[in-house]
Structures are given as C-alpha cells and as structure tokens.
C-alpha cells in the first residue's frame, strides 16, 4: 500500500522522522545521529521530500548501504502530494531552467575563464559555493593563479616548429596532452551525469582521468563510462578510511575496475573550513538567533564536512608501507608540499608525488605547487633522484592557460592536473564543454610551443623559464569575496 | 533638599560650573583645571547632565577619589527635568537600540572579521573611533595584517594528527590555547560590563587575561569577576605613574588581587595621536572658526589623550631595577620593538618581552611583531639566550586567524595576545561573543595543526614556515580612511 | 551588360557564391576554400557587397593576383541596388563620421596616451580590436609599459646642456631621433592611406620607416610615398613565406624598391591568438548555437589569423644562411628574446637584432625588451661582442614617453621602434598626427636629456639608470579587459 | 587726459596692442615678441584688462623694468568701462569668494593632507594646476610619498624622553625644527601676500625660509616682511641667469638683503613639462582646430614655461668656481641626484647639497631624495667626507609627516625642506595656516621622538631605521590623474 504525503508529514520530528527520497518513504529516526553530514540537515527535511538536496551529493546505492531494509516504509502515493508542494518543486525547476536559458554558444568561450564565468551563472548557489570555495581568506587560492604571473619565458628562435607534439606518458600510459583530469568531489552538483561527463571527454581527447573517492557517481559508473576501447586511462584517488579493511577493499575494487594507479590524498586529514560553502549551508539551515553561543562552531561546515567524516587523520608512513603490500598498482602521494616529503616518497620507492595544495581548499597560506616544484626538483637532483625512471612529479592548482602548463613542464613536472574548470565546463555544456576546454588548452599549448621554440615536451628545458620573481609572494591584494555575515549568499562572478 | 534642574542650569560657566552625574549634582568649578581629560569637555557640560559621556570612560569610585566631599551639592530633583531634555535622552537611547536591532545571530559569524564588522555597526561613532583608530596613516595598523600574507607554510604529511593538543603554559600557568586576552582601555565604551566580559569568557575557555591600567572597570571588579575556581589566570598591565609611590601601590594592589605577572608598557611614554579618534572628539566639541591658529594643536587629542596624562615619559631601565625590588611577580616588558632591547631584557633577568607596536596606535611605521620576532629569536639564539626557561617571548598586533597564531608559534613565540576582536565580540554579544571568537580560533587552529602535520605546539618548528618574503613591506596601498577634515565622522566598515 | 543586384543575390550559397567588390561582381565559388582568411567570411557575404570589409585588409591588386580573369562576371548595375541596401551603407558611413566628429584639436594632445585615447574613439570596433589586442591575459602587453616604472634615472648636474643633439645613425643611415617607425599590419583599417601616412611623416621628421610584409598598402605604394629627396630611409620587415621562391622574390623586390635592410621576423612562426580580436570576429560571423563542440576552436582567430596562413613555422638558422646568400642588404633578426640568440646572431655575422615580444601580441609572459636588453648587453660584453661596429641592438614594445627611449639608449640600444601610437595618430589625424607624435617625443627627449645632463646620445651612459628593481615583475594587477564571452565587444578606453 | 575703454578696445591686434593693467593703459605692440611668457597670452588680452591674470605672476616693478616709459599711454577712464565688463569682473570675484566660503576651521585640519585638501578647494583651477602639477606621469611625484612607506622604524625603549629637543642649526643658524621652508614660485597665485605669508610664519615658529628667484613678491618685499628681530633667517634660491652680470647682481642683492646663503638650483636647466599645468593653459588660450599640426608643441607649456625662459642651460662647474669668487655667502647646490655629484660638491668646498628632484616637477623617474640620501651618506663616509663640519646635506620632496622628517634625519640629513603644503596652508588661511602646519609637524615629531626613544636629534641614529625595502620602487600604481585631452580641467582632490 502506498503512503500518503499527509501521513509522512506527521513524522516530522527528530525523534520520529520520515523522509521522502525518489518517491520512496524512509524512517530516518534511528539513522539521524549516524549521518556523516550531521543530523541537522535530515531534521530539516523531517516529514518532507529531500530528493533535491540528497541526490547530487550521494552516489547511487548510498541508501541501500546505510539503511536497514526495514526502514523502507513504502512508496509515496503521488496523488496525495499537495498542490503547493508541487508548485514549489516546479518553481525550483523553473529557476534552474532560467539560469541555463541564456548561456552563450560554446564556441564563444575562448578560454577557461569564460567557461568559469558561464559555470558561475549556471550553477545553483550551493553548487557554486561548493565548487568555487576555498580556505579562509583564499590567499592560497589566489596565489595558485598569481604565481604564474611571476614566471616568465625565455623563448628560442629559428627552430623548426612546424610539427608540434604534445603527447607524453603518465605512469607509462599514453596521453595526448601533459594534462590529466584530477579528482574533484560531488560531480553531480553541476550536472546529472556527474563525473561520467569527464570520462567521456577524456576518452574523446585521449587524456587520463583520476577518479575520486568522493565522486557522486559510483566508481563502477565512472569506469563503465569508458568507451569501447577502454579509454580513457583511469587512476583512483583514495581517501584512506579509518577502517583499513574498507580502505583495502576500495583498493582492490580499483584494481578490479581497471584503474591504473592509486593516488593517496595526504593533504586532507580533515576537510577544510571553506567559508563560502559554510555560509550557503548556514543560510539553508535557517536563522538560529536563540542558539547558545560557541557550541556549534563546527556544526555546519558545509558540503565539505558532510562528506568527509570517515577520513583517517592518523594516517602515516607506516600505512603507506602497508598499502604497498596489498596492491601492485603504482602508489602516488597526492598533496606533497615541501621537498623533504617528496624526497621521502622517492626513498620509499613510490611511483611519484602530486605537489598540490588541494586547490587552495585546505590550508590557507600553503604555497603554490610550482613554487614547491622548484625546490623539489633541486633537492631531488642534489640527491641523484631526478630525473629517474619510475618516479614522476605531478602538479595541480590554478592551471588555466596553456602557458601555465608549459611552465610546469619546463620546470620538471611530468603532467599537470586540472579540476574545477572541467566541472564548470560540463555543468554548462556536458561532455562537449570539457572537450572544448581541452581543445582550447591544446590550441594554446600548440601555438605557445611554437612561440617558445620547443617542438616536443622534451625540448621544454628549465632555461626557457625565468624564475627570478618566483618567490615574490604576497603582492596580491586580498580577495574581495563579498560573502560575509551580512551577505551570506555573496554574489557570483 | 533636592536641587532643581533649573538651578543647575544657572551654573553654566567655566568659573561657576555645576554638572549632573548619576542624578547627583557636583560643583566642578575648582576641579576643571585638574581634569586629566582637559577642561573643555567639562565646560561643555556646565549646567547639564554629563552621565552619558562620563560613565563609559571612568571606573567606579572616580568621583569619590578626585572630588572633595563638599563639592557634592545634592541630589537632582528628577521632577524638574524639562521634557526636551528627557526627549533628547530617550532619542539617544533609541538610536543605541536601533543599532543593536539588526545584528545577525552569533553562529552566523564564521571568523573574527565577521565579529569586527558586526562590532562596527553596533558601536557608537565615538566608541568605534576609539577602538578602531590607529596612528597617522595607519601604515603600521595595516602592516599588522599584511605581514601574515608574507609568511607561508611548509606542511608535512603522513604524521599522525588524530589528537591535536593546543595547550601550553604562560609564565608557568596552564592555558588551553597559546592565546591570551591582551590589555585594552575603556572597555565600557562597548558594553556596560566592560572588561568583566573578558574575564568571564577567559574562565569559560581556559585562557588567561591581561588586566589593563586604563580599564573602565576597576581592577577589583575585574578580579572579582573570576569564577568559583579563581579562573582565569590574570596578569596586570602597568602604565607607570610619574609618582612612583602610586606605581608601587598599583603593583602591590595587583599582587593582592591575585594577578600573576606585571606587564610594564614601554612603548607609550605618551599616548598616540589617532586621527579618527581626534576627529570624533573635534566634532563633539563643536566648531571653532573664531579660534586663533595653531595654539591648540594638542588640545583635543581624543579619548586617548584624555586618559593618559599621568604616564611618565621619563621611565628608564633604572626604574625596571627598582620595580624588581618591590615585587616578586614576574616582570615582562610590553612593547619591545627591536632585538637589542629584547636582549637587554633577558640580560636584566626579566621574565619575558611582548614584541608589540601597540596595535598600530602609537608610532606609525613601527614594524609588525612577527617581523621583530624573527630578528629577536636569531639574536637571542646567537647569544645562547633562546630557548631558555624563564624567558618567554609574546607577540601581539593584527592576529585574526588561527594560521596567524600558528605562524608566530612556529617562529618561536610562547603565546599571542589578541585585543580588539574581543572588544568587538562582547560589544555585540557580551561574553558569549568572546567565547565564540575563541572557539572559532580553536577550530581553525586545530584543523590547521592537522593540515600542517603538527599534533602539538612543540611540533610547530621553524622549518614549517617560509619567510622568504617576510621583509617585503610596503606593497600594500595606503588605507582609504575616509575621515578627513571634510568628513570628520567618516564611515564605518 | 551590367549585372543587376537581384541577379547577384541569387548566388548566395557556399557552392554558388557571387560577391560584389568595388561595384564589380566576382564568382568566388571555387576560390572559397583557398581564402587565407578562411571560407566563412566570404560565405557570409555570398550574394552581397563585401567592399567595406574587404577594402581595409587587402592591398591593391589582391583580386587580380588571386582570381582568374574569368571569375570576373561583370559590372554591377548601380541602378538596381535596393533602397534598404543603400540606406544601410549610408548608415554605416554616418556612424563612421559621427565617431570622427568630436575629436579634439591635435594640439590638445599632450602625449602619446592622448593620441591613443583619441584613436580608440575614432576607430571602428574591429579596427580597435585588431590594433589594440594582445595575447591571452595581456600580461606581456602590460609588462611592456610596467617595466619602465622599474627603471629610474641617476641624473648628473652642471653639465653644459644648452645644445641637445638627438641624431644618430641606424645601420649607417642618418636619423634625427633614435626612434624608427616599426612594422605593423593592416594599416588601412584606420585610415584610407594606410602605411603611406607613416612614410610622409617619417620624411617630414627625418626618421626611418620599417615597411611591413602585411601592409594593406603595397610595398610599391609605400616606397612611392617617399618625398622628392627619397626620404625617408626605409627598411623591409619580412615574414618568410613557406615557398622560398616567394621569399626570395620579396627580398629582391625590397632591394629594387630601395629598402636598406631586411628585418626578418623570427618571433611569429604562427600569429598569436588575440582574444579581443577574436571576439569581434566571432560577433561578426554571428551566433552558432547549433555548432558542434570543440571542432572550431581555431576557426575564427580574428584578423591576425586571416592574414598569416602563409608564414613558415619551419624557418631555422639554415634559412638565415641562405638568405645572406641571396642579398647584400643587411639582415637583422626581429623578435629575439634571450641573450643566447642575440649572441648567435652576432656570431652568424648578422647586422643586428631587434629585442622584441611583438608588442605583447604573440607569447604571453614573454619578457619586456628592455629586460632582455640588460642581459643581452652583459652577455655580448663578456664575449667581446659589444660594442662592435656592424652589430646593432634595437628594441620595441611599450615605448610611449621620451624617458622610455632614453632609458633604452642608456642601456645600450641603438634605437627604439614604435608602432601602435603612430597608427592611432594617423587614424585620427592623418600624417599630421604622426608628425605631432614625433614632435612630442622630440620635445620630451630634448628636455629630459637636459635634465639628465647628457647633451648627446653618446653621453647617455649605463650609470645614468638605476636598474635595482628591473626584475621585480609581476606586481602589476591583471588587466581588466572587459571583453568576455558575455560582452564580446568590450568597451574602448 | 584719461583714455576711454572704447579707445583701448580699438587696439586689439598683435600689431596694435593696448592692454589695461591696474587701470593704466600700455602699448604692448613692440614688447609682445620679448615677453618671457610668450606672445600669445598678451595677444589674448589685446584691447582688454589683463590685471587679473597679470597680477599673481609678476613681482611689483615688473612693468617699470621691462616697458619703456613712453609705452605708458595714460590712465583708464573708469567711467567708460561697459557694464558687461564690470559684471564679468564681479562674477569672477564672486566665484573666488564662493570657493572660500565653506572652508573648515583651521583647528579641524589634523595633518598636512587636510591642508592640501582644503587648498585644492580654495585655489583657482589655474593656481591648483600650477602648484600641484608634476612631470609626465607623475611617477616621481608619487614616489616622493611612496618611499616613506618603505622605511620603517626600530624604536628603543626605556630611555628618558621627558624633554624633547627638536632644535638644530642650519649653516650655523639656529632653528627650532630640522625643517625649512623651501623655495617655490608664484606665491601670489594662492594669496595676495604671496611669499610674505611664509616669512611671517617662519618668524613666529623660529624656522628658516628659502627665498625663490621666481617669487611673485620681490626679494625686497620678502626680506622686508621679517619681524623686528630680523627673524626668520633667510636663504636665497638662485636660478642662474644666462647673463652672468644679472646673476652677479642678484647675488649681491641677496647679500644686501641679509640672506645667509645661496642655494643654486642645478636640476632645472629648463623648466619641466607639467601636463596638468599645460592643459589649464591650453584651455585658457582657446581651441585652435585650424592650427597646423606639430608646429606648436612647445608653445604653451603652462605657467612654468612662462616664467623661466632666462634660465641658463649651459651652467657648469666652472660657473660654480666663478660664483665662489663673487660672494662670501655659503653656496649650496640644490637638486643633486646621485652620490657622485654630492662628492664633487664636497670636494669643490661647497657648504652643502640639497638632494632633491624638484618636487617631481622636472625629470619623471628621478629617484626620491631619501633614496639618494642613503647612497650619498655611504659614499661620503667611504671617502671620509661625512660627517664633516661645514658640509651639510638637505633633502626635500614629499615630506608631509613628522615621521618622514625623522627618517631623513636618522639617515644623515641636517634638515628637510617643505614647499607645497605651506602654499596650500596660506592659500586657505594666510600665515596662520603655515603656523598651524608647522605646529602639527612639531607635535607629530615631538611625540614620535618619544616613541622612538630619541630625546634629541643627535639621538636619531641610522640603526633606528630599517631600510631593507628602500629600493623596492615601482609597486605603486600609476596616478589616476583625470586630466586628459577630453577633460583638460581635470578634477581637484
């Protein structure tokens, strides 16, 4: 027998809490304290339909995995949904459609900044806040762009640059560009196909994809989106679970799904406080003037907090030893931030490191990856560890222009990870947007290789970049992020 | 017999001056020239009620201490107060209430900047001007923030950061955070309970408080606000009086009240010219087009000047020797600004120094405390004076983020003093605001210790900060403080 | 028999395409795929009159050179042109006239920035976009100006500066100023006489002119605009054609026309992506929402792309050897960007180099010419190659003030090339504008030579410039170019 | 017999030119080509009354000195002046009065920037343009302020600073402050008493005054404004006339008038092109659309040009030798800009140098005086020339704050020259304004000496300033001076 909307509405307290998801009714009362995203968001939807907020942040199968079968109460009787509830749902959908109505033709986007601009208009407030937010005062977020303004070129002339070859190998796998799609969470906030958009584009353009632990598609879905030839090459980004059995299971699953390497995130023992994200969340959960002071500082830390409570902050080098023992896949540390740890990784026999500050989302005033790259290559060279087959250096954070990528390659990186721009691209245009972004990068890089005088990536040598100003940090003005306590929603770009 | 308002009104000249305070009538005629805040402000209220301006800047007992008993004329006959005077008083109160009406819920404040913003809206023009103002062009005030943009982190990975311990000891006393509430004057400008708000919050959060000489609560009141366990630990900030007997009495009183150390302010032989503060004051005392030129440059130097005329500019190292002879409390110099003086302090056997520029309120173009910290630690190390038990280095000025504090600790500081943000917090929200501010800092620091790879404060080592850009001062644009001769009130933030 | 407009209108498809040019009708159907500027622009005008867009970007004789005679269909019957077509043409002309109506008197222009401002108002959107645009984020474009803010003077006093002599020799040819008019393309976008305006002004002011390969006047026209004495001295800027016979023919033609040197452009194996230019072009070719993604990234790269498809990206040092064998004219490399290549040029026995980043139009984050100059002079001196008769160093990019020129001369340059400002000047005022610009520069330089204490260019020595801040790049904020995907036309200055 | 206005009006051409000055009629026809300020301005007033523009820029006696007696035609018949001429004169006077109506009370001005702001509102467009303008893009003008943001203090504590002594000696003459009033031209543009305002204020405050060659009061008037005790000490600033007999006469006149030293300006062989000044002038002389291009670039170079045509650009060190032979007054070079010339001055036995860039009005990108001071003191010390009795170093340019002055003194300067601020002060408030400005500086300096720990100027030692960032020029953004060809009048601050 179907359950009426009116019946659901009666179970509207923390103690007695029904929630509608995908037209099914569940009893959440006992689950509430165990929700990784905190109890409050569930209580807010007690007696109501939570599908719209649940859907984009949970992978398929989440309900089945966490709720005992007996908590499924029954199907919702759609005929009983009141008109005002239908109207509200329709209004929300209309607002979404309106945002999408006036986007410019894809070919009008001439660079990745255009795609970001379009993305910011297309995304909902919550999605924009989650994707674009960064730590504290966004000093690192801004530095990730600013640093490229401090690296200049020393081009060579009169070299035959008729044919430009941008291809290389990442961990032994061919790629048409020294660029890979890096792992980012909650891909369905921007588009119903989520991370699968990236898989399709990567296949079409011949580049590799790093599959995130916190994807909102399942790893199986993302692997399943490969084309008939099994393209693209995929790696797996791993947040190590406090329960090592779960972690091991994830690693073996990654092997089974054909992923070619494990990128262990080591810069996020706890996910960051990103205030733009928190403010949106705060807004959503309503005002609480009566609330006692201080007691809930960590309560509402936005989407980031909601999805990350299982990450193990006690992870250390011993775990890496253990991890090597349970898989033959190459292991790469993602989030190395000083040369000392890169040297240790090389000495531990790992396959490489990703120099990264997590897109400026974790520690504010972490340095940019290319600044770390400079000291790391020096330190490795001094110790005879660079260049060395079997140990590769990747970088990510703030790469938007073909020139940004070429600078990192010339300085010694094997490849560059790019994340947010592809999210913005598919949020607005689906996989075509990501393909377009990659072709823009390819066009820029091809031209700039010509202008620098380097027909292949091997010809990009350190002497081609002028690093005199590399360390001149701090001249950038602080971000004028207009989200404050008086304007929690802020404004988009 | 009660005195009528009309009778008071007749005594309205400098020579014959009655003033109403707390519904009592006093004859101020003979006291006028001795008023530390200058004669003008009293003359302005001759024949009128001065309670509203008197109250927030004078500690209880001030009248009794300075006015002979016979100057008390009698109680005011309240029935004789004219309606327009009542109306004006009501209007002032209404304006105050209006300012407080629209403050956001405390939990919406996500960082100390939010609290400052709320504070700026809640405070009166005069209070905001006094609290927020700084010297000259506010170069030092701005540098106190800017310097943190020039210090970056070098985080370590794969360290077990499950448990973070932020506790330490200040002069041997336990604190849950390497942060103390530093001394600031005129606490009742923002809230009727003044400095006692800080005492209550410090007790709740387990940190220490420095009690100011220029508090608008008495030292007895502030000590009395400790909780049943005698928390928090309190230190006493001392402005040394020209009359050394008064100074000695203050020291002994501090001992009696259970304060655990004497922080002697050495950077303020004269209190600063703070133009925003002066402009508000100027506005208050009315236009004086007819006034002769030049003669009154120093006349109206705002609240700062009003409260500081007794400070002795002839204080020198001999006085420090004397001070050591009259107390067993540890003596710390507050306001050291170069390594040479820090070395002298250590050689004089003092318990420590506070590297400080007085919040940018004294000498403009004084350097930031963390820049001084770098040279001081180097100089002390060279002389075998650091680290050394019994000599501690504190810093203050511009600390707003957890990362700011961690930078200073990594560079060698024992603890960090914070002042203004707590004033703004309690001006808007009382002690709960201060507790909230401390919990925000605690949350930021806990997360960032994890991200840096340091489970305890001892693990924060100098190698974790990159100081390459530390001395790149001066790139910041000048403050666009819009208080000028044409707009003396300026605007709040 | 004349062709009616209605007849032309019928041939309006890619397969059957008539176009009217200068009241003549041509059949373009077979030519379309061979159009260097791409097919799309021709298709857009299928069946219509394309004279207005054709004229300013094609040198005389272009039609004859590329279209077989039989493709000329006949004269247009003017009487058949419909009224609305006439009206549209008239409206376009009126808009042009309106732009020109309010320009200020020439003598009101006090510096080259004034001329640029006037130019931006006088030029059409397309012309402004083509002339003013630069690569990517315009970092190099801005740096070309910013660098001069980092070079300061060390003037000497009490030297007799009554008579100032600004004359010098370029490749042995006398010039009244150490300034030459450098090569820029598409001169008729701004004025019907195109590059001939520059010839006339150069003659009047006694300076030299570099004649561009991509001029919209023919080399013959430009040479023909010399005055009765054969002034000015002219050089030829050469883009080397993929077909070396064409290149050789161009060199011999340059000799025949009396040009005195060959400046081979070596920094443009492919012409740059200039987004402002591309956006205007995009706008022109209409929206294409239906277009498939990605496939046309390189399709519409603006005017730059349209005119450059013949440039050979395989040019190398061997070609330079060949070139020396086919001409006795001095050969200079234009676009050298590091000392290594300048040293090679000297060792190859060339007559000099132009240190240049192509006005910021090619590789973004190429360094400024004066920064390259500093390292180049040092490297040449170390090798005994500087100063050396027969090898001269030129610089261009961003020179707008007399002081800019003097800085470069003091650092070791023989002369300075200036381009865009003269385009703006003649677009608004014809040759008089260019003469005015040169007189402004002359007046500034004369005065500043006096103030520096150098009566002749030889007295401008390296000790007169302070280069301590030369390499402090990157402090400048990014350009706020408001052309974006949502505002393709942007705004003028 | 008196001359009627109508009669004057008939002589209104360049060839037949009558002009009314102070109600007297003169025949200017023959004088026009000899006018140092150029012919145009006279022609503009042919047949009219030029008193209003003549008066503030000519010292008394100018007419008598330059016009033969027979050119005086007669007194103007005041009854014949038409009503519309009277109306226009009245309107001009009313506009002047309106500007002055709303100035704030002097005591509301808290610093020298306030005085500048008031000055900008009180002055006419032309006067403001002349006083405030600087060379080219005003890079040096801005640097003169910016440099002080790069010099920071290292204060000492616990020194007895009860009594502060700011007095010193300049060339042996006592002064109460290490500040002197430097020479500036055309003092009557801002106030009818011109430079005499400065004399009165200097006497009242016990400082010295440098009397300018280009004063609009005569040297006799300025000397005559000294008080009964002969205060203040006065020096003479000398522009050396091309005719050395005139120069010698000026020197002897200076001796006769009791001036105590000769400051020979050596940084101005030609007066600068100051565009703000030129634009105002351009506006005044009307539009000239018909004018031929280029021919008049140097025609209208504003007030600066008008008054300086006699300055000799051939002045050299031999002239200094000659000058020493004709006077016993100490000779100081004003406008030295590198250590080499300061060393030469010392070796020539001169009494000192003024390190100066002429307030940013001459060579743009000349360095700031304090930056030159640093290298000069080092170079002199190396050669045993510093400190040395009888050779003093002065600096000027951009000094506005007490801290600015203290920085220069600590670095080795004897005293600091200040110019523009005093002009603004007396333009608005007469001598009282200048006294007020000096008292503001005195108050700031007294307080800051206390805060730095230096009771006398001798205690200000080099160790008290931190010069690490001294040479970090160029980070300042360009001036947003909104005077352009489209807005010649610009706007005031």
């Amino acid at each position: 027998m179907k359950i009426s909307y009116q019946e659901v509405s009666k179970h509207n307290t923390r103690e007695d809490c029904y929630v509608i998801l995908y037209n099914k009714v569940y009893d959440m009362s006992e689950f509430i304290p165990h929700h990784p995203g905190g109890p409050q968001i569930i209580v807010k939807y007690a007696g109501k339909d939570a599908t719209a907020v649940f859907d984009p942040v949970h992978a398929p199968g989440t309900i089945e995995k966490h709720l005992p079968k007996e908590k499924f109460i029954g199907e919702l009787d759609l005929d009983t949904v009141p008109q005002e509830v239908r109207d509200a749902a329709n209004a929300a959908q209309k607002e979404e459609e309106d945002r999408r109505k006036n986007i410019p033709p894809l070919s009008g986007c001439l660079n990745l900044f255009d795609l970001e601009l379009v993305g910011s208009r297309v995304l909902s407030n919550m999605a924009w806040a989650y994707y674009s937010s960064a730590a504290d005062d966004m000093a690192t977020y801004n530095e990730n762009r600013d640093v490229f303004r401090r690296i200049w070129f020393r081009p060579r002339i009169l070299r035959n640059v008729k044919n430009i070859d941008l291809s290389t190998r990442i961990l032994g796998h061919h790629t048409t560009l020294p660029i890979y799609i890096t792992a980012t969470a909650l891909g369905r906030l921007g588009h119903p196909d989520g991370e699968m958009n990236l898989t399709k584009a990567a296949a079409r353009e011949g580049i590799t994809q790093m599959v995130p632990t916190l994807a909102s598609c399942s790893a199986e879905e993302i692997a399943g989106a490969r084309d008939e030839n099994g393209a693209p090459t995929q790696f797996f980004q791993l947040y190590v679970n406090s329960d090592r059995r779960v972690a091991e299971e994830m690693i073996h699953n990654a092997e089974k799904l054909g992923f070619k390497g494990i990128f262990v995130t080591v810069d996020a023992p706890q996910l960051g406080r990103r205030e733009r994200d928190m403010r949106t969340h705060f807004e959503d959960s309503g005002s609480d003037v009566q609330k006692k002071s201080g007691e809930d500082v960590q309560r509402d830390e936005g989407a980031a907090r909601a999805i990350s409570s299982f990450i193990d902050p006690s992870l250390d080098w011993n775990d890496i030893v253990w991890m090597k023992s349970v898989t033959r896949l190459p292991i790469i540390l993602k989030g190395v931030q000083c040369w000392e740890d890169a040297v240790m990784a090389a000495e531990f026999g790992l396959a490489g490191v990703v120099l990264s500050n997590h897109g400026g989302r974790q520690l504010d005033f972490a340095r940019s990856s290319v600044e770390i790259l400079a000291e790391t290559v020096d330190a490795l060279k001094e110790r005879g560890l660079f260049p060395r087959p079997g140990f590769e250096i990747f970088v990510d954070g703030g790469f938007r222009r073909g020139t940004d990528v070429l600078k990192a390659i010339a300085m010694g990186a094997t490849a560059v990870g790019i994340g947010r721009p592809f999210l913005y691209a598919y949020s607005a245009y689906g996989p075509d947007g990501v393909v377009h972004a990659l072709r823009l990068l390819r066009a820029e890089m091809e031209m700039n290789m010509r202008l620098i005088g380097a027909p292949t990536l091997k010809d990009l040598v350190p002497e081609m970049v002028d690093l005199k100003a590399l360390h001149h940090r701090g001249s950038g003005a602080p971000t004028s992020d207009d989200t404050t306590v008086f304007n929690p929603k802020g404004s988009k770009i």
Side-chain angles (χ1 to χ4, degrees), chain A:
Chain A
M1 202 194 82
K2 297 201 166 178
I3 320 286
S4 76
Y5 194 91
Q6 289 66 30
E7 175 61 22
V8 175
S9 299
K10 291 177 193 161
H11 304 262
N12 64 353
T13 67
R14 187 172 190 141
E15 290 71 30
D16 177 12
C17 173
Y18 278 17
V19 166
I20 303 165
L21 292 172
Y22 307 106
N23 296 330
K24 290 178 173 25
V25 180
Y26 298 91
D27 180 352
M28 295 286 191
S29 313
E30 287 177 19
F31 176 69
I32 284 178
H34 307 292
H35 184 226
Q40 194 174 4
I41 185 71
I42 301 184
V43 176
K44 188 177 170 193
Y45 285 93
K48 297 180 191 154
D49 188 330
T51 312
V53 297
F54 176 91
D55 182 71
V57 300
H58 296 84
T62 302
I63 301 170
E64 293 70 17
K65 199 161 152 193
H66 288 95
L67 267 197
K69 274 189 186 165
E70 65 272 20
K71 297 303 181 186
F72 170 56
I73 304 298
E75 297 285 334
L76 176 68
D77 181 351
L78 291 174
D79 296 338
T80 63
V81 179
Q83 189 57 38
E84 68 264 26
V85 172
R86 293 176 202 267
D87 288 351
N90 290 339
Q93 196 176 340
K94 173 128 195 342
E95 198 243 355
E96 163 98 18
E97 281 162 7
D98 284 352
R99 282 202 312 270
R100 293 188 171 273
K101 220 174 243 167
N102 294 308
I103 66 170
L106 182 50
S107 59
C109 291
L110 297 189
N111 55 44
L112 271 59
F113 303 110
D114 282 349
L115 288 166
E116 178 168 352
L117 189 56
V118 177
S120 95
R121 307 252 179 124
V122 156
L123 290 166
S124 69
N125 274 335
M126 189 180 79
W128 170 249
Y130 179 71
Y131 284 171
S132 71
S133 60
D136 285 10
D137 302 311
M138 302 180 73
T140 288
Y141 176 87
N142 290 322
E143 164 69 0
N144 280 355
R145 283 299 307 144
D146 288 350
V147 68
F148 293 113
R149 301 187 72 83
R150 305 197 305 263
I151 306 177
W152 294 68
F153 287 111
R154 306 185 72 252
R156 301 304 303 267
I157 54 166
L158 292 173
R159 297 181 169 193
N160 183 335
V161 288
K162 182 156 190 170
N163 301 308
I164 297 295
D165 180 4
L166 288 164
S167 70
T168 187
R169 304 188 82 81
I170 298 181
L171 302 178
H173 302 278
H174 182 267
T175 172
T176 64
L177 288 175
I179 290 175
Y180 62 90
I181 299 175
T182 196
T184 49
L186 300 189
R188 292 177 60 219
L189 281 176
H191 189 283
D193 291 343
E195 293 81 2
M196 293 186 289
N197 288 294
L198 300 170
T199 313
K200 290 172 198 162
R204 278 163 64 184
E205 287 296 305
I207 67 162
T208 67
Q209 177 190 21
M210 191 190 299
V211 177
T213 293
L214 297 177
S216 49
C217 297
S218 69
E220 285 72 14
E221 287 179 312
I222 302 173
R226 295 198 290 245
D227 70 16
E228 61 277 12
N229 302 315
T233 302
Q234 290 175 320
F235 301 114
F236 187 63
Q237 175 269 331
L238 179 71
Y239 278 116
V240 181
N241 199 292
S242 301
D243 182 343
R244 288 296 181 277
R245 286 167 307 180
V246 175
E248 188 169 346
E249 195 183 322
M250 290 170 80
I251 293 170
H252 290 154
N253 194 44
E255 291 173 344
K256 205 165 39 188
L257 292 170
F259 298 157
K260 305 299 189 192
I262 305 290
F263 284 71
V264 188
T265 296
V266 292
D267 61 3
Q270 175 180 355
L271 282 202
R273 296 177 83 251
R274 299 151 195 175
E275 296 179 1
R276 191 186 290 172
D277 186 22
M278 292 165 75
R279 292 196 199 280
T280 322
H281 208 230
F282 174 80
E283 185 73 349
D284 280 357
S285 44
S287 153
D288 57 350
V289 181
Q290 301 83 352
K291 193 79 46 78
K292 271 293 180 201
S293 78
E295 66 182 18
D296 49 2
V297 164
Q298 293 177 308
R299 182 197 46 142
D300 261 341
E301 301 201 336
R305 186 88 188 149
I307 57 181
S308 66
S309 54
F310 63 86
I311 300 177
D312 186 1
S314 72
L315 191 75
D316 68 15
W317 287 97
N318 292 324
D319 295 298
I320 301 301
V321 174
W322 162 80
M323 202 178 294
K324 284 188 67 175
S325 75
V326 301
T327 184
R328 291 202 176 163
L329 287 179
I331 294 172
I332 298 93
L333 301 184
K334 179 169 179 292
V336 169
Q337 296 183 63
C338 61
W339 68 259
E340 292 91 334
D341 285 325
V343 166
M344 278 185 77
E347 291 172 344
F348 264 72
L350 302 184
V353 290
V354 184
L355 307 177
S356 170
N357 54 39
H358 213 109
R361 293 163 82 82
Q362 291 290 97
L363 177 68
D364 208 15
F365 292 101
R367 300 175 300 169
S368 66
S369 61
V370 285
E371 194 173 353
I372 305 165
L373 179 61
E375 72 174 34
T376 296
V377 168
D378 283 352
L380 290 171
K381 274 186 184 164
E382 272 173 36
R383 286 160 184 76
L385 297 167
F386 186 90
R388 200 179 61 159
F391 188 77
E392 300 183 359
I393 305 179
F394 307 98
V395 287
D396 68 31
F399 290 81
R400 298 292 180 270
R401 285 284 187 191
T403 50
D404 301 340
V405 178
L406 299 183
K407 288 169 184 176
I409 303 299
M411 291 169 72
T414 295
V416 165
I418 296 184
R420 285 186 185 98
F422 298 140
L423 299 184
Y424 301 136
Y426 78 63
S427 295
Y429 301 102
D432 285 353
V434 181
V435 166
H436 186 68
L438 286 164
R439 291 192 185 170
L440 287 169
L441 286 167
R442 190 185 302 277
E444 286 184 19
M445 288 167 74
E446 223 174 274
M447 150 151 306
N448 289 322
M449 296 275 280
R450 280 211 176 86
L451 300 180
I452 292 166
T456 77
L457 297 179
K458 283 203 173 54
D459 299 305
L460 278 173
V461 292
E463 291 73 24
M464 283 172 167
V465 286
D466 177 330
L467 300 181
K468 283 195 198 86
L470 180 62
H471 302 297
H472 292 189
R473 278 175 254 112
S475 58
T479 292
S480 67
D481 189 346
D482 56 358
T483 61
T484 71
V485 62
F486 287 109
N487 181 25
K489 282 201 184 165
S491 65
K492 299 183 179 181
I493 55 174

